[in-house]
Amino acid sequence: MKRLLIAPDSFKESMSALEVANAIERGFRRVFNDTWMIDKIPMADGGEGTSQSLHDALNGRWRTVTVTGPLGHPVDATYSIGNKGRTAVIEMAQASGIELVPLHLRNPLITTTYGTGELIIDALNQGVTHLILGIGGSATNDGGAGLIQALGGQLRDGSGKMMPYGGGALQQLASIDISTLDERLKAVKIDVACDVDNPLLGDRGATAVYGPQKGATSAQCEQLERALMHFSKMIHKTLNKDVSNVPGAGAAGGLGAGLLATLNVQLKPGIEVVQAATQFESHVKACDLVVTGEGKIDGQSIYGKTPIGVAKVAQAHHKSVIAVAGTLGEGYEAVYEHGIDAVFSIASRPMPLSDALSRGPELLERWAFDMAQVLSLKI
């Protein structure tokens, strides 16, 4: 009996990764019924949808708590506890995300990651021993200062006062004390899932690349860059760590740097974190064919996106990979050089985007049925 592994990312604004996997399974079952074994592992790359994918893969339960939002006001944030209560999966965007801030109020000089730290404390209160933190989609540029304070760290200005919220305040930072961090953090394994590899500072840094998207003017970007530079120097002086040029340190407005400086963590590509948590490689070893996909596959997909991460593991074990997407963009052929053997779009004809999104499950199931028919040919 042949074995199929379905390991897709979500199709943004259309289907979660699990819904994609279910639609593909339905199409294949119409042809192969019970003659193929089918495994489904929802995937993600550390960005939007990571917690949903891991929630589904780890049989999680959702937990919603009220925390401090990016502007300092209370917000309700949801995270998942799975793996029989041992693993918490947190997306920082739930507590500190850009979508929580109205367009006219976006200002990374004052937004904070404090609420993300509060989510971590709540997870510790639930007794978890493993924490997976996705750090995409932030509204912040505070270097993780708020998170550090929420975890018990003390960041003070020259007069000894605790630092206020926001990236702008970092210019007044005079001392960092992490001896007061919550002791339980030492006993928890922490995986940080990044979907970007930007350093903290410079032309590719947190502020230069993402500051304008978060509402910063050019003058504010200059101020924020100086603030993060000072923060980096204080980390080096106080904690003897250099985080300024580490890939991923600039993720989430420098949250990557703050985590590296204060906790025993490594920043990893999100797809690798998801694969480790789901024991993905063991499933690949056992299968005969892998089907993956995401909403759009183009020339940029080779830079850390889910289908390539899936193909990398499959290629190492000499497994064939078929990729499917809602649409194929310019340069999609590049994926053939990175372990994908065939790539397809589910679009059966030209149609408005709204129709394609709403009909996603139907179109995907039809594609899977057609693909299964091809695979069943005896030539």
Side-chain angles (χ1 to χ4, degrees):
M1 179 179 288
K2 289 189 178 295
R3 192 163 191 157
L4 172 67
L5 175 59
I6 304 173
D9 203 335
S10 63
F11 281 36
K12 193 173 182 179
E13 298 183 59
S14 179
M15 295 169 280
S16 71
L18 181 60
E19 289 170 334
V20 172
N22 287 339
I24 294 172
E25 181 185 25
R26 290 194 300 270
F28 270 84
R29 290 288 187 206
R30 288 166 57 186
V31 176
F32 294 119
N33 196 9
D34 294 326
T35 61
W36 281 45
M37 292 182 65
I38 297 179
D39 294 327
K40 296 176 294 184
I41 304 182
M43 288 279 111
D45 60 12
E48 180 183 0
T50 297
S51 63
Q52 180 68 59
S53 292
L54 285 169
H55 172 82
D56 294 331
L58 300 177
N59 297 312
R61 60 179 174 85
W62 294 113
R63 177 172 172 79
T64 300
V65 294
T66 302
V67 298
T68 304
L71 291 176
H73 308 306
V75 299
D76 289 336
T78 300
Y79 70 98
S80 177
I81 301 177
N83 192 23
K84 299 181 180 179
R86 294 189 291 266
T87 301
V89 182
I90 294 174
E91 282 190 10
M92 70 88 64
Q94 280 285 314
S96 314
I98 189 72
E99 293 185 2
L100 297 175
V101 184
L103 188 61
H104 68 286
L105 294 178
R106 292 178 183 176
N107 181 0
L109 287 172
I110 61 173
T111 47
T112 180
T113 53
Y114 196 92
T116 300
E118 291 176 311
L119 282 181
I120 293 174
I121 292 295
D122 189 81
L124 295 178
N125 292 341
Q126 305 311 306
V128 304
T129 56
H130 181 203
L131 177 67
I132 299 174
L133 179 62
I135 59 172
S138 77
T140 57
N141 209 96
D142 72 346
L147 175 143
I148 295 167
Q149 291 174 308
L151 296 181
Q154 298 187 30
L155 278 65
R156 299 181 183 275
D157 62 19
S159 62
K161 295 181 180 178
M162 293 294 287
M163 297 289 295
Y165 294 151
L170 290 175
Q171 285 184 285
Q172 279 71 54
L173 179 64
S175 67
I176 302 173
D177 184 359
I178 61 171
S179 67
T180 53
L181 287 173
D182 193 306
E183 285 290 325
R184 295 173 295 177
L185 292 164
K186 296 177 181 178
V188 176
K189 178 186 177 185
I190 304 176
D191 291 320
V192 181
C194 298
D195 60 351
V196 300
D197 63 357
N198 302 76
L200 180 64
L201 305 170
D203 292 342
R204 291 191 63 250
T207 303
V209 176
Y210 301 107
Q213 300 175 16
K214 301 172 185 181
T217 64
S218 57
Q220 288 173 333
C221 281
E222 291 178 8
Q223 183 179 348
L224 287 164
E225 180 74 0
R226 290 194 299 270
L228 284 182
M229 186 176 297
H230 177 66
F231 186 44
S232 177
K233 290 178 179 178
M234 287 299 302
I235 289 172
H236 189 266
K237 176 182 177 181
T238 306
L239 307 177
N240 197 30
K241 293 184 178 181
D242 185 356
V243 298
S244 58
N245 291 307
V246 178
L255 175 57
L259 291 167
L260 283 170
T262 57
L263 301 177
N264 183 26
V265 305
Q266 286 185 320
L267 308 182
K268 302 178 181 179
I271 183 64
E272 293 181 8
V273 173
V274 173
Q275 287 173 341
T278 57
Q279 299 180 319
F280 180 72
E281 188 169 17
S282 64
H283 292 274
V284 170
K285 290 178 180 179
C287 79
D288 297 288
L289 174 67
V290 180
V291 175
T292 186
E294 63 178 347
K296 183 177 182 179
I297 293 177
D298 60 17
Q300 296 301 306
S301 296
I302 63 175
Y303 299 109
K305 293 299 183 179
T306 291
I308 299 303
V310 168
K312 181 180 179 180
V313 178
Q315 189 176 40
H317 295 284
H318 310 290
K319 308 294 183 177
S320 296
V321 180
I322 297 172
V324 60
T327 183
L328 300 179
E330 184 177 354
Y332 77 89
E333 299 91 346
V335 301
Y336 287 124
E337 303 298 321
H338 294 267
I340 291 178
D341 300 290
V343 59
F344 300 90
S345 167
I346 63 173
S348 56
R349 59 177 174 79
M351 66 182 71
L353 177 60
S354 58
D355 287 356
L357 294 174
S358 64
R359 294 179 59 199
E362 169 202 341
L363 295 171
L364 189 54
E365 180 179 340
R366 180 184 299 172
W367 170 85
F369 170 76
D370 291 340
M371 179 54 59
Q373 291 280 30
V374 173
L375 293 172
S376 69
L377 291 175
K378 295 185 180 358
I379 299 176

